[in-house]
Amino acid sequence: KMGRRKWRIVGVILLVVLCLRMLRGRMPLTVVKNNLLGDIDRSSHNQLIEPLRDVAGYKWSEIPAEYKFDCIRIPRFSQHLANNVLIIFLGKSEVDAWINIAKERRWNWKVIEDYRNVTVRDIMPDNTVFPIIYTLSYVYGFRYMKEFQNLHTGLVMSIRMSFKVTGNKITQLISMREAFRQFGCRLEDISIMPPTFYITEREDCLSFFKYAKKGLRWVLKPSIGYGGSGITLHDDLEEIKELFGQCQGRPDNVEEDSVIQQYIPNLLLLNGFKFDIRAVVLIASTTPFLMFFHEGFLRVSTELFSEDSTDRRVHFTNTHVQQEVANASINDHLWSFNRFQKYIEEFHPQRKDFVERELVPFIKNVGRLILRAGQGIYRRIPGTFQLLGLDFLVTADFKIQFIEANNHPYWPIEYPDIEPTVHSMLEDMFDLLLRLNHNPDSVVHMKNGDTYKSWQLISSEIEERCNVAQLFNPCKINFQTDV
């Protein structure tokens, strides 16, 4: 009897606490259930229908107890320093270019094509080896994370749960909306990307048809896609209505959940060819969060641009799309930032500072936004890092638009114009990661804007926690000009 009475008292106390929290507004009363990010406030999920509600304000996510730090004391969370660094490439063809770099630089390296039956001891037979696992798929890396963490050695290019922010296009859209909501504004109000909707979700679908007009073109993208696969261009609103007009979820003839994004008209062209920009950011650490920027490259279509063309290579500049036609010449497909700068100086001298003063600040600010969007989603696991590709378009009046983020992007090096850029990115990235994990004091005390070789620090959790003035607020900046 005493036992039952005790549990009744505990139950009443828990019920009272729950009611008090709901009355104080600490728990949202209206949520979207069973979505891929968990319980998300509906006001952020569908901002075109419901008004913006009061928000609690932005907070950094919790740090594991063993890695706690304050503004004076920075923990030494370095891993065991082994005698030999071994770079491990998991997978097949997509890492061939990186393997060539490893050979040229005489790094210790090995390729594991079939990773399914590999154990940590197969990779690291003894403690004289410090492994860095580099892969283009988070699935490859994740199974080794906890084992490496327990051994206090090794790096894995895979931040757990990062696919929800920079992989899956649906959760990417939702997490970005939520990041803006936490600072008190809407993604749609800032206009840093074309109007984008989660078309296979009822309320976002209704928002789309409320917004869409005849004459606008739309790009339909599957939630999980790579290299332009599954992307289709639509210029007939009636055709879209036939697919999604009932807004009852994913139609039977659509293979997976999708987003739909407005096709940007009146683009800046390079000698008559469409292009986009692939930028590079690195989340080098999650304990604390550190993000770095590196120069990227341009991807230029191999076919002259025409609004009326039905050729995918005219409209989609992905390298894999450009290679879809056998024997197609793609020698001029990739441009360096330096070559782009020279083109601007020659053909648009009035915007000669565009790359340095507008494009690069915009890229850095989107990187910072993505780091904010991942707060509470990324898992803080020492020894994990993530190399991200960010894609952008530029209009004829030099307005920059963010298109999407890519969690495990393809980095080609077989193009002479960008080979130096990609080589420095890879070599300096590994050097930075090793220094961060073996001699963290030399990196964690860097300030935003400081550089380590070819990488520039653009977001430091330590600096922002210790100096509120440094906190990045996406609602109060001009993405294209503020540094």
Side-chain angles (χ1 to χ4, degrees), residues 337-348 355:
F337 273 27
N338 185 52
R339 183 177 178 183
F340 182 41
Q341 174 63 41
K342 291 179 179 178
Y343 179 90
I344 296 295
E345 291 173 357
E346 180 178 356
F347 294 99
H348 302 278
V355 174

Side-chain angles (χ1 to χ4, degrees), residues 308-334:
D308 301 325
S309 176
T310 58
D311 189 338
R312 278 169 53 85
R313 292 181 300 157
V314 170
H315 299 287
F316 304 131
T317 57
N318 310 67
T319 299
H320 289 81
V321 172
Q322 298 303 310
Q323 294 173 332
E324 285 179 348
V325 177
N327 301 319
S329 175
I330 59 172
N331 292 332
D332 212 32
H333 169 50
L334 300 181

